[in-house]
Amino acid sequence: MSFLSSIIAGGARQLRALAPLANLTIIFFLVALAGRLLVIKMLFPDWMLSVSGVTADLLAAAFAAAVLCLLRAVSPPIAATWLLLWLLLSVANVEHIYALNDALRLGNFRLALDANFVRGSLLAPQTWPFIIISGCGGWWLWWSLRQASFRPLTLVLCVLVAFSSAAISTPLALRATEWRHSSPMAFMLANTAAGWQQPTATAPNTDTNIEDFFRRDLSGKSLVTTASKPRNVLLIIMEGLTGAYLAQSRKSTEFTSPHLMSQFSNIADDAITVPNFVTHGAGTIGGLYAIYCGDYSQTPGNTESIKPFLFQEMTQEARPVCLPEILKQAGYATSYLQAADLLYMKKNTFLPLTGFEHVAGKGDFPDGDGNFWGSDDGGLFAAALDEINRLHAGKRPWFMSMLTVGTHHPYIAPDSYITAANGDRKAASIQYLDDIIASFVAELQTRGVLDDTLVIFTSDESHGVPGHPFGGNWGLFAALGAGISGHTQSGVFGQVDIALSVLDYLQLTKTEFVFLGRSVFRENPTPRPMLFGKFFSDSSRRIYFCAADYCDRYQSSGDNLFASSYQLSALSSTAADPFVAKKRALFARAGLFYGRGENSVLVFEENINLPLVKQQNQTWQLQLPAKTRVNVALEVENTGSAPAHFYTFWLENGNIPIKMPDVRLPPVPAASGISLNYSFYNANARNILLGLIGLPHKKKTQANLRQIKVQSLPSNNESFDVSHFSLWSHKKQEDDKGRDIFSKNTVSSNANSTNPYLIATHQSSTKGDSFIAPKYYFGEQLDFSNNGPWHHRLALATDWLYPEPWGIWSNGEKPALVVKLGDVDTDAEYEMRIKFSPYVNPPILDSQTLTFFVNQKRLGQQTYNEKKYNDIGVRIPGRLLNANTLNSFSIGVQTPFNPSKYNAGDGFAHLGVGIVNFQLSRVN
């Protein structure tokens, strides 16, 4: 009897130990279940609960409760912080699911903290019940936590529950393509954690047809009647709209969404529509980049880092050339309107650099019935009519684009529409936009605008389609106007196709600028693959989702990418291998990879052909761990017939561009290449943007990116170091007089038989003073403009910006020219002639003092009070020059000037002196 009593007593003790954890788990679960039920009521009124989703909620609740118990034992304030953070993320998830039918990603949480989002949350009545429930649940959790007594056995159970629930939840969340089949919190945390791990990604064999995703295809019969004079283009981008709202898409895909834009659908009967239209990612700025620049956004999870468009000081040649710029150069007036604040996502910087001459946003026209986001759609379209009148009155054809905001959370619509929609602000905003489009198109017809104008309706992103696994990437496209009759495209198209399609419509495809994609204005029955979000599809419209070691395949029920149903099949690990490799290569080729984690080597590109027309850009975004040394290896070859110029750079946090410290990549002659290995210390965990920009010299050429690697290793070495830097060639290099351009200084151990002429190699010190210097012939004038001989720029060693039509600005305290001289007469006298302009900017900077040096020996100093060209000669004794080796000619700048600090310009430049040309001659 005593034995049985002891067993019962022991069981009772274990139950008492488990009671606090079970109680907290139940409360967390009830809060999560309330959020799930609320969202289902808002989005899926006829749907039942997902068993897998409810089970995942229970596991997530157990994890949250176990961690809360453990933190309570360590520190009550830390436990309170955990509880508050969990509840805030739960509220943010419910709101995000309601707006976009997708769980929140931690990378976007900072955007959710934006003042407009916070105000939208407080003003959205749909989320008030859950905010109240979360608040009450939080109080109940904290009260229960304070009342509970924790035994040692309780804490042991908490550790076991935390690890086991996480171990079970994580793979389930990673396999779920929709939040409904997982816990939103687990879905968010698992997918965020998965992004921190990236295995080595090498390009698979060519039979995977990676280039099929990146072709330019203008084949097929045109669907547009030609015109004798230039036509105008109006590109209307609607916030978050999905193709499922059009009747044409419903009919083609046999999928019914909760909302239908009936009037817009009637208009689209006379338009070219695309039921299978893809938005490639999430976020407005990424969508705008894909639409305007005909390229993938290359910024997953970071909507403020659109490549070099935030680098206002970089020359236009260093940026991708986008549709507005091409049309501007073709004689079009370019204009952009949006309802929201242009400062958000830095569109005030991005849009002008894409080629828009006129950019207007919130505050530039009446808000109408708008809110803190800006004008409602009625006010924006009224302003658009005024702008069209202005453009139509001009002498040039025009390209105008506009971006709505009314269908963005928390949604803008007149009270009468909200009342008619029974308080559903999202439904009201969609119906309001539908009515506005109908009246707007009717007005365009009345004014005769449609007689000579192409009007395109599309979306920046998709706010999701309830019940569709890929609704978050289901976009909208309809084109009507001059030369177009009603037609439904059966093929798959995406945002990257729009820029090329507009040029095709305007018959400007012979331009030298190259966009990805195929024209939506041509009938092309050839199947094509597509890349979107975290998925990719093949030419048979099978959709693949691949993680590190497995793939899920979705076979559509019909001939559409966006189908009414799919057959899911999980590929075995062996069968998945080629698809995993293909996904890695695809995302690397598109620049969509995050590289994360210590001790990881990321091979982003191998043997990729880069056609250099006006420019070519390859950019990769990385997240680097703290206290690591980052090693970068680059090898690129100019395989064309003309010189090319390459730049590498890294960018911290999308704010300040930093050229690779003190290392200049020289122009690369034809049949030559650069090999470069450098490393730098990374003190804090941060995002950087690693880029390779290739610029041709005067005409088209071709390059081959043999390889680029990044490796992150724990280290305390804070130096910057170039371990190998060489310019090599397959042939001897000569100038226009038949003289050798390069000096064969040293032979690196990295040389190989395929690069017989290894030229101008210099091993750096830990100060990073690497440069490649040309051989200089006395009396030769070096021209530093971007139109001068390419090899003259080899002398620009340190602290310079980029060549411009007149010359080049310095960027630092001591810009230097370095050349290799031949024989020097130490008893003779030489003259250095320099044409330059000091940087003076009254009244902020009234004067600039420059000090001239040769081989670190001071020659003289002069103060200048105005910004004008000076052509001076400085006598140099022969004993100060170095024979048959490198010589440095530098200028000390007393006050390097950063224009952005004084609102006199933007960017990272520290200007001091602008050099036009340089000449060194013997006097006697």
XYZ file of all heavy atoms in Angstrom, residues 54-94:
298
model
N -3.948 24.417 -36.409
C -4.271 24.452 -34.984
C -3.234 23.676 -34.177
O -2.814 24.106 -33.089
C -5.687 23.888 -34.748
C -5.980 23.775 -33.261
C -6.729 24.771 -35.419
N -2.791 22.543 -34.705
C -1.739 21.773 -34.027
C -0.459 22.585 -33.924
O 0.215 22.584 -32.878
C -1.471 20.467 -34.792
O -2.688 19.731 -34.913
C -0.432 19.626 -34.076
N -0.119 23.295 -35.004
C 1.080 24.140 -34.980
C 0.932 25.275 -33.977
O 1.903 25.663 -33.316
C 1.348 24.692 -36.377
N -0.285 25.828 -33.838
C -0.523 26.863 -32.831
C -0.258 26.334 -31.426
O 0.306 27.030 -30.577
C -1.963 27.367 -32.922
C -2.180 28.334 -34.070
O -1.183 28.905 -34.553
O -3.338 28.522 -34.474
N -0.677 25.091 -31.174
C -0.464 24.492 -29.857
C 1.024 24.300 -29.580
O 1.510 24.575 -28.472
C -1.204 23.160 -29.770
C -1.131 22.423 -28.433
C -1.704 23.292 -27.305
C -1.879 21.095 -28.513
N 1.767 23.839 -30.592
C 3.215 23.676 -30.423
C 3.901 25.016 -30.188
O 4.798 25.128 -29.336
C 3.806 22.989 -31.659
C 3.454 21.505 -31.851
C 3.890 21.035 -33.231
C 4.121 20.660 -30.771
N 3.496 26.037 -30.945
C 4.080 27.365 -30.757
C 3.741 27.908 -29.382
O 4.578 28.576 -28.727
C 3.571 28.316 -31.841
N 2.520 27.659 -28.897
C 2.132 28.111 -27.564
C 2.981 27.426 -26.496
O 3.400 28.064 -25.513
C 0.650 27.822 -27.334
N 3.233 26.134 -26.666
C 4.086 25.407 -25.714
C 5.497 25.981 -25.706
O 6.119 26.145 -24.642
C 4.104 23.921 -26.074
N 6.018 26.301 -26.887
C 7.354 26.902 -26.967
C 7.386 28.255 -26.258
O 8.291 28.528 -25.449
C 7.747 27.058 -28.434
C 9.029 27.817 -28.651
C 10.256 27.200 -28.471
C 9.011 29.160 -29.020
C 11.441 27.902 -28.656
C 10.186 29.861 -29.208
C 11.400 29.233 -29.027
N 6.397 29.108 -26.540
C 6.363 30.434 -25.924
C 6.238 30.334 -24.415
O 6.895 31.074 -23.671
C 5.205 31.246 -26.499
N 5.393 29.410 -23.933
C 5.210 29.254 -22.490
C 6.476 28.737 -21.819
O 6.864 29.199 -20.743
C 4.041 28.300 -22.229
N 7.155 27.768 -22.464
C 8.375 27.212 -21.885
C 9.467 28.264 -21.788
O 10.158 28.381 -20.756
C 8.842 26.021 -22.727
N 9.642 29.046 -22.832
C 10.657 30.107 -22.803
C 10.301 31.152 -21.754
O 11.176 31.648 -21.028
C 10.792 30.747 -24.197
C 11.726 31.958 -24.138
C 11.314 29.732 -25.200
N 9.009 31.490 -21.624
C 8.586 32.472 -20.626
C 8.898 31.985 -19.215
O 9.377 32.759 -18.369
C 7.084 32.735 -20.777
C 6.492 33.813 -19.866
C 7.103 35.170 -20.167
C 4.977 33.874 -20.026
N 8.647 30.704 -18.934
C 8.968 30.150 -17.622
C 10.462 30.220 -17.328
O 10.882 30.599 -16.225
C 8.489 28.695 -17.538
S 6.710 28.492 -17.512
N 11.269 29.851 -18.306
C 12.720 29.870 -18.113
C 13.227 31.293 -17.879
O 14.074 31.526 -17.005
C 13.412 29.243 -19.322
C 13.191 27.732 -19.515
C 13.743 27.283 -20.856
C 13.852 26.954 -18.386
N 12.723 32.237 -18.652
C 13.156 33.623 -18.476
C 12.679 34.187 -17.141
O 13.362 35.016 -16.536
C 12.638 34.475 -19.637
C 13.228 34.164 -21.014
C 12.594 35.052 -22.085
C 14.741 34.359 -21.014
N 11.498 33.759 -16.691
C 10.992 34.214 -15.387
C 11.932 33.786 -14.278
O 12.158 34.521 -13.301
C 9.594 33.640 -15.154
C 9.021 33.860 -13.761
C 8.789 35.337 -13.488
N 8.162 35.555 -12.199
C 8.795 35.599 -11.036
N 10.115 35.402 -11.022
N 8.146 35.814 -9.911
N 12.508 32.588 -14.410
C 13.453 32.105 -13.400
C 14.761 32.875 -13.429
O 15.451 32.989 -12.418
C 13.715 30.617 -13.614
N 15.108 33.415 -14.595
C 16.360 34.177 -14.727
C 16.168 35.632 -14.331
O 16.904 36.180 -13.515
C 16.885 34.086 -16.181
C 18.122 34.964 -16.364
C 17.190 32.647 -16.545
N 15.152 36.282 -14.942
C 14.932 37.712 -14.701
C 13.498 38.063 -15.069
O 13.128 37.933 -16.249
C 15.912 38.550 -15.524
O 15.556 39.910 -15.499
N 12.689 38.522 -14.131
C 11.315 38.922 -14.467
C 11.234 40.009 -15.540
O 10.366 39.926 -16.417
C 10.752 39.391 -13.124
C 11.532 38.633 -12.108
C 12.918 38.520 -12.668
N 12.109 41.051 -15.542
C 12.016 42.045 -16.617
C 12.258 41.447 -18.010
O 11.607 41.825 -18.983
C 13.103 43.067 -16.253
C 13.261 42.933 -14.773
C 13.071 41.469 -14.498
N 13.209 40.506 -18.091
C 13.455 39.867 -19.385
C 12.243 39.043 -19.801
O 11.844 39.026 -20.974
C 14.720 38.984 -19.322
C 15.958 39.857 -19.066
C 14.888 38.198 -20.612
C 17.240 39.065 -18.924
N 11.626 38.356 -18.845
C 10.425 37.582 -19.148
C 9.298 38.488 -19.622
O 8.568 38.155 -20.568
C 9.982 36.801 -17.905
N 9.144 39.651 -18.989
C 8.108 40.595 -19.406
C 8.367 41.098 -20.817
O 7.438 41.271 -21.620
C 8.040 41.764 -18.423
N 9.645 41.337 -21.135
C 9.999 41.792 -22.483
C 9.655 40.721 -23.519
O 9.120 41.011 -24.589
C 11.498 42.130 -22.544
O 11.794 43.137 -21.568
C 11.882 42.636 -23.925
N 9.970 39.458 -23.197
C 9.640 38.350 -24.101
C 8.132 38.270 -24.343
O 7.681 38.113 -25.480
C 10.162 37.042 -23.512
C 9.608 35.802 -24.149
C 8.572 35.028 -23.690
C 10.044 35.193 -25.366
N 8.337 33.977 -24.530
C 9.224 34.048 -25.580
C 11.024 35.491 -26.299
C 9.364 33.210 -26.672
C 11.180 34.652 -27.391
C 10.374 33.543 -27.577
N 7.359 38.370 -23.264
C 5.915 38.284 -23.377
C 5.363 39.417 -24.238
O 4.525 39.201 -25.125
C 5.278 38.327 -21.987
C 3.743 38.350 -21.932
C 3.161 37.121 -22.618
C 3.280 38.435 -20.486
N 5.862 40.632 -23.994
C 5.387 41.781 -24.771
C 5.749 41.635 -26.242
O 4.929 41.902 -27.129
C 5.989 43.074 -24.205
C 5.591 44.377 -24.911
C 4.086 44.595 -24.827
C 6.349 45.555 -24.307
N 6.985 41.193 -26.524
C 7.426 41.025 -27.903
C 6.593 39.955 -28.613
O 6.186 40.129 -29.763
C 8.910 40.659 -27.942
C 9.539 40.469 -29.326
C 9.442 41.760 -30.133
C 11.000 40.033 -29.204
N 6.307 38.848 -27.928
C 5.512 37.775 -28.531
C 4.110 38.274 -28.896
O 3.601 37.994 -29.981
C 5.431 36.591 -27.583
C 4.747 35.387 -28.165
C 3.408 35.129 -28.194
C 5.378 34.292 -28.834
N 3.161 33.944 -28.821
C 4.334 33.399 -29.236
C 6.689 33.958 -29.130
C 4.600 32.209 -29.908
C 6.949 32.779 -29.798
C 5.922 31.917 -30.186
N 3.514 39.028 -27.989
C 2.165 39.526 -28.241
C 2.158 40.566 -29.353
O 1.240 40.596 -30.180
C 1.579 40.108 -26.951
C 1.321 39.099 -25.832
C 0.868 39.801 -24.566
C 0.295 38.051 -26.260
N 3.176 41.437 -29.391
C 3.257 42.432 -30.458
C 3.405 41.753 -31.817
O 2.763 42.150 -32.801
C 4.424 43.386 -30.211
C 4.234 44.443 -29.131
C 5.524 45.224 -28.909
C 3.107 45.401 -29.505
N 4.261 40.731 -31.878
C 4.435 40.008 -33.139
C 3.158 39.259 -33.520
O 2.848 39.117 -34.707
C 5.609 39.039 -33.026
C 7.006 39.677 -33.014
C 8.063 38.632 -32.717
C 7.301 40.362 -34.338
N 2.428 38.789 -32.540
C 1.161 38.102 -32.833
C 0.164 39.070 -33.451
O -0.510 38.746 -34.439
C 0.593 37.495 -31.549
O 1.461 36.514 -31.016
N 0.060 40.277 -32.876
C -0.835 41.291 -33.437
C -0.378 41.683 -34.835
O -1.189 41.804 -35.768
C -0.896 42.522 -32.515
C -1.673 43.653 -33.179
C -1.543 42.160 -31.183
N 0.948 41.892 -34.998
C 1.482 42.264 -36.309
C 1.204 41.176 -37.340
O 0.924 41.461 -38.511
C 2.977 42.532 -36.207
N 1.280 39.914 -36.926
C 1.006 38.812 -37.851
C -0.448 38.799 -38.301
O -0.740 38.614 -39.487
C 1.357 37.481 -37.185
C 2.637 36.886 -37.729
O 2.835 36.824 -38.935
N 3.522 36.471 -36.846
N -1.371 38.982 -37.362
C -2.786 39.011 -37.729
C -3.059 40.141 -38.710
O -3.764 39.972 -39.723
C -3.657 39.157 -36.462
C -5.101 39.500 -36.833
C -3.622 37.872 -35.653
